[in-house]
Amino acid sequence: MNKFENPLDSDVAGPAPRHQTTQVKVGDVAVGGGAPIVVQSMTNTDTADIDGTIAQVAALARAGSELVRITVDREEAAAAVPHIRDGLLKLGLTTPLIGDFHYIGHKLLAAYPACAEALAKYRINPGNVGFKDKRDTQFGDIIEIANKNNKPVRIGANWGSLDQELLTRLMDENTASANPRDARAVMREAMVQSALLSAARAEELGMPKDRIILSAKVSAVQDLIAVYEVLASRSDYAIHLGLTEAGMGTKGIVASSAALGILLQQGIGDTIRISLTPEPGGDRTREVQVGQELLQTMGFRTFVPLVAACPGCGRTTSTTFQELAQSIQGFIRDEMPGWKTKYPGVEDLNVAVMGCIVNGPGESKHANIGISLPGTGEAPAAPVFVDGKKFRTLRGPTISADFKALVIDYIDQRYGQGAKVPVTAAE
C-alpha cells in the first residue's frame, strides 16, 4: 500500500494469506496445508501418575485442546503412556497424545514399544537429543522409531536449550565477519538453523516432509516474531507457534497474544500453544481458553458464542450488567461440550450485554440477541433485541434470569433439531 491509499477502502480487512505449508496428520487431526489452526496444550502432571494424567488430559480435551502433550522423562512415565491412552478411550476421548522427549528419548522409545505406538507424535529437542558424537546417532534412533511406527515428529528448537555447538560456530563466524551482527541476531539464526538442519537430517533418514512439524520457541516477543518470520521464509514445513515461558496471568496472556497475533496476521502458524504458568492450584485449561479466544477474536476460527459486554463507566454504577455478562459467558462455555452435537453452529452466536443507553441498543442490534440494561438515572427497563429488532422489554428484579431464559430459548429455536424457526419479535 502506498502512502496515498486508504486502508478503509479495502473490500476485506483480514490477515495475510496463510503461509503454504505441508500438511501433517497427528492422529486424526490435520496440521498445516490450509487446515484450521489447531489449539494444543500440555499437562503438568507426573505422567507416571496414570489417573492424574488421564484426568488432566480429559479436562484439557473437553476444554477444546485438539492435541495434548505429555512429558515422557523416565521409564515409569513411558510405561504409563499406553495405559493413559486406553483410559482416555474408555472415557470416549480420542485426543492425540504427543510425547515430549529430552535427553533419553531414544532409550525410552526403544525400551517401551507400547509407548512409541500409543503416542500420536514425538517432540524432539535438537538442543538436547544428544551431545557431540552421540547427537546424530540418538536423533537418528528416534527418527527410525518414528518411521517404523508411522508417527510424525515436532522438531522443536528452544532458546533455553539451544544447540551449543551450533551456536558457538555461528558466534565464531560472526566475530570473524567484516560486518558482525548483534549477538541476539546470531542466536536467532542459530535457532532457525537448528530446526532446519534437523529437519533436513530427518528427511535424509527417510522421514517424509508430511510428518515433520517445526518450532523455534523463545521467551521474548520481538525475538519470537523475528525467528518465525525467518523460519517461515526458508521452508514450507508445518509450523507450531508458541512463546516459551510466557509467564503467569495477564503477563503471559498479553505476551503470547501480542507475539502470536502478529505472526498469525502474517499468515504464519498452523498450530498454537499458549504456555501460561498457572496460579498455584490454578486451572490448566486456561491456556486452552486463551488460545481459542485468540483465534476467534482474530477471525480464524469459532469455538464458543461471543458475548460482547461494555467495560462500564460512571453511567453504569450498577453491577447488574457485569454479573449478567459473566453468568451468560460462563453458562455458554460450560454447556458447549454438549451443545456441539445438540446445536450445530451455535458457536457462531453473538450475544450482547450492555450497561446503558449510549451504545447499548446499537450493540444489541448488531448481536443475534442482546440486552441494554438501564444505566444510572435511566428508567428501570431493559430492551431486548433479537436479530436486529426489538423483541421485548424486561423489568423488575428478575431481568437477569429472564434474559438468560431468552438466550436459551433463542439457541433452541435457532440451532435446535429440525427446521430453524426465526424468533418472532413481540412486545
Side-chain angles (χ1 to χ4, degrees):
M1 178 179 297
N2 66 48
K3 64 181 180 180
F4 300 110
E5 290 179 329
N6 185 350
L8 298 180
D9 292 336
S10 173
D11 291 334
V12 179
R18 291 275 300 281
H19 178 64
Q20 292 301 306
T21 58
T22 303
Q23 188 169 104
V24 179
K25 291 298 290 291
V26 182
D28 59 357
V29 176
V31 177
I37 299 166
V38 172
V39 174
Q40 62 176 277
S41 57
M42 185 176 183
T43 59
N44 62 355
T45 56
D46 178 357
T47 305
D49 174 5
I50 295 172
D51 291 340
T53 302
I54 289 173
Q56 191 171 87
V57 173
L60 291 167
R62 288 167 178 155
S65 185
E66 293 156 299
L67 303 172
V68 178
R69 182 157 45 112
I70 59 177
T71 297
V72 187
D73 59 343
R74 64 192 197 280
E75 292 188 358
E76 292 83 357
V81 169
H83 301 292
I84 294 167
R85 188 269 316 272
D86 293 344
L88 291 167
L89 289 174
K90 289 179 181 178
L91 297 175
L93 297 172
T94 58
T95 305
L97 296 176
I98 302 165
D100 194 61
F101 294 101
H102 300 276
Y103 304 107
I104 59 170
H106 60 293
K107 292 182 179 179
L108 295 175
L109 287 167
Y112 293 89
C115 169
E117 185 277 327
L119 293 169
K121 186 178 75 173
Y122 312 152
R123 186 277 173 118
I124 310 171
N125 186 337
N128 60 33
V129 70
F131 302 100
K132 297 187 181 296
D133 296 338
K134 294 182 179 180
R135 181 181 59 234
D136 289 345
T137 299
Q138 293 173 183
F139 178 83
D141 290 343
I142 297 178
I143 298 300
E144 181 181 351
I145 294 170
N147 284 335
K148 178 181 176 181
N149 288 279
N150 295 314
K151 305 293 184 180
V153 299
R154 170 162 71 94
I155 297 172
N158 193 292
W159 194 259
S161 52
L162 188 55
D163 182 339
Q164 292 302 301
E165 292 182 50
L166 174 62
L167 178 60
T168 298
R169 177 172 62 79
L170 292 179
M171 285 290 190
D172 289 343
E173 291 175 359
N174 184 61
T175 300
S177 171
N179 297 295
R181 295 182 292 171
D182 176 82
R184 291 183 76 86
V186 179
M187 289 187 71
R188 292 194 294 266
E189 177 65 22
M191 289 281 292
V192 173
Q193 287 199 27
S194 179
L196 292 177
L197 290 170
S198 297
R201 178 59 179 155
E203 288 198 65
E204 290 173 3
L205 294 170
M207 175 157 284
K209 183 172 283 189
D210 64 5
R211 290 215 297 267
I212 299 174
I213 297 174
L214 297 186
S215 67
K217 293 188 175 184
V218 303
S219 57
V221 169
Q222 295 295 345
D223 287 318
L224 188 89
I225 294 168
V227 165
Y228 274 100
E229 287 176 341
V230 174
L231 185 63
S233 71
R234 294 187 190 176
S235 76
D236 61 354
Y237 294 104
I239 288 180
H240 166 120
L241 287 186
L243 187 75
T244 191
E245 290 94 35
M248 183 179 287
T250 55
K251 185 271 180 186
I253 293 171
V254 171
S256 291
S257 299
L260 272 60
I262 290 171
L263 291 165
L264 291 168
Q265 187 71 10
Q266 295 180 45
I268 298 170
D270 301 299
T271 177
I272 66 170
R273 185 206 168 190
I274 307 295
S275 300
L276 295 181
T277 303
E279 304 286 343
D283 188 351
R284 189 67 166 181
T285 62
R286 183 76 185 281
E287 66 177 45
V288 179
Q289 180 181 343
V290 173
Q292 289 182 331
E293 289 181 354
L294 174 62
L295 293 179
Q296 184 154 340
T297 55
M298 292 190 70
F300 290 106
R301 295 186 63 181
T302 53
F303 296 96
V304 296
L306 289 175
V307 179
C310 72
C313 66
R315 297 177 62 92
T316 57
T317 53
S318 169
T319 61
T320 302
F321 80 96
Q322 300 166 339
E323 293 161 356
L324 181 56
Q326 182 181 49
S327 174
I328 293 293
Q329 180 114 15
F331 172 75
I332 287 172
R333 186 167 286 279
D334 290 343
E335 294 296 320
M336 272 305 293
W339 283 356
K340 285 180 180 179
T341 54
K342 186 177 180 181
Y343 298 117
V346 70
E347 62 272 13
D348 295 322
L349 176 72
N350 286 306
V351 181
V353 179
M354 306 303 293
C356 79
I357 200 171
V358 174
N359 292 319
E363 287 286 352
S364 296
K365 289 177 182 178
H366 288 304
N368 296 114
I369 179 168
I371 186 170
S372 178
L373 292 163
T376 305
E378 294 178 16
V384 175
F385 297 84
V386 172
D387 293 329
K389 297 179 180 179
K390 188 174 180 181
F391 175 69
R392 184 173 297 167
T393 299
L394 301 179
R395 295 180 174 86
T398 61
I399 284 178
S400 294
D402 293 343
F403 180 67
K404 187 173 181 180
L406 289 175
V407 171
I408 296 169
D409 186 56
Y410 181 92
I411 290 170
D412 191 57
Q413 290 190 49
R414 177 73 179 268
Y415 301 101
Q417 299 297 320
K420 296 180 179 178
V421 181
V423 179
T424 303
E427 188 58 48

